[in-house]
């Protein structure tokens, strides 16, 4: 069988090694829930796969450990969870967004992005949490609105 556009034999899907894959996601578990199959397939086929996670899911829901919600234990727990998930997916390169920001900003003033949280508005519909982390007093932007990251389950707040 030949392809109509090139007249050449098609490449078997198992032989295709994709180029590098960069996944930028809002918080831990998005890599698995939103892109796990793609990331695992690309890694298994030998592609370089890099995942950047904006936050540590500090204000997220803790399924299986609701007692941790709202505590300082959430971020380290979610960090451990994403490390295990990425290992299972075959992804070897991961960085949190604030880890990238430290390379370009003043190391004496580290940047830390935090999860703005979510709340159930009605069954099956999530929205921003009623309380939000403090906004910076002087965001570095030309826009009159502070910068925001739109994610799968809400919004990541700018660093404070």
């Amino acid at each position: 069988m030949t392809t109509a556009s090139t007249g050449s034999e098609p490449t078997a899907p198992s032989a295709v090694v994709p180029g590098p894959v960069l996944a930028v996601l809002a918080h831990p578990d998005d890599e698995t829930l939103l892109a796990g199959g793609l990331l695992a397939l690309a890694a298994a086929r030998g592609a370089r796969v890099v995942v950047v996670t904006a936050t540590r899911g500090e204000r997220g829901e803790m399924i299986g450990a609701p007692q941790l919600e709202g505590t300082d234990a959430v971020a380290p727990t979610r960090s451990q969870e994403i490390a295990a998930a990425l290992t299972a997916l075959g992804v070897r390169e991961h960085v949190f967004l604030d880890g990238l920001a430290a390379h370009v900003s003043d190391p004496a003033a580290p940047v830390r992005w935090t999860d703005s949280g979510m709340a159930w508005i009605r069954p099956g519909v999530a929205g921003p949490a009623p309380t939000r982390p403090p906004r910076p007093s002087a965001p570095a932007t030309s826009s009159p609105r502070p910068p925001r990251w739109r994610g799968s389950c809400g919004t990541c707040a700018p660093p404070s």
Side-chain angles (χ1 to χ4, degrees):
M1 179 172 109
T2 60
T3 61
S5 61
T6 64
S8 62
E9 291 293 319
T11 305
S14 62
V16 175
V17 176
V21 175
L22 172 64
V24 181
L25 302 155
H27 22 62
D29 79 10
D30 291 350
E31 78 293 331
T32 302
L33 298 173
L34 300 177
L38 172 69
L39 299 175
L41 181 63
R45 290 188 176 169
R48 179 181 181 194
V49 180
V50 180
V51 173
V52 177
T53 310
T55 73
R56 288 164 177 79
E58 295 87 343
R59 295 184 64 205
E61 186 176 25
M62 294 296 293
I63 297 170
Q67 71 279 7
L68 296 181
E69 290 179 20
T71 72
D72 289 341
V74 173
T77 301
R78 298 294 303 272
S79 296
Q80 292 171 350
E81 289 173 351
I82 193 170
L86 291 172
T87 297
L89 294 172
V91 176
R92 294 189 302 258
E93 294 183 67
H94 174 253
V95 66
F96 286 103
L97 184 61
D98 52 21
L100 290 177
H103 294 294
V104 296
S105 65
D106 178 3
V111 174
R112 180 67 186 254
W113 291 81
T114 58
D115 184 355
S116 66
M118 61 155 276
W120 293 106
I121 297 170
R122 59 183 179 276
V125 178
T131 59
R132 297 183 188 272
R135 294 178 182 236
S137 57
T141 178
S142 59
S143 169
R145 297 177 57 195
R148 309 285 292 171
W149 280 69
R150 296 304 282 165
S152 63
C153 298
T155 306
C156 302
S160 54

